[in-house]
Amino acid sequence: MELMVHEQIEELRMQMQKIASDKDLTDPKVVRVSEKLDILINEFYLSQEKINRRSRRAG
């Protein structure tokens, strides 16, 4: 079953915290996860904006 975007965000956030706990924040592994997290957060906000626009039109 595919995780919802907010669940994916939480999963990546925890993964990034775990990796960063023993590495520098500029470590390539930390940066890679952070970039993935940024993409998912942007996708989430864009999808929320679309939902909000639809509900404003319908209402």
Side-chain angles (χ1 to χ4, degrees), residues 13-57:
R13 186 188 66 75
M14 289 188 300
Q15 182 181 350
M16 186 176 66
Q17 284 180 325
K18 184 177 179 181
I19 294 169
S21 68
D22 66 340
K23 297 192 182 310
D24 189 64
L25 293 178
T26 58
D27 183 276
K29 289 180 182 179
V30 176
V31 172
R32 249 190 319 273
V33 175
S34 178
E35 288 171 345
K36 288 179 185 178
L37 187 55
D38 289 343
I39 290 168
L40 279 176
I41 290 170
N42 287 331
E43 285 179 14
F44 177 77
Y45 281 118
L46 286 173
S47 68
Q48 291 302 302
E49 183 59 31
K50 286 179 185 177
I51 290 169
N52 289 340
R53 275 186 262 156
R54 282 188 211 136
S55 66
R56 283 192 296 250
R57 285 186 210 151

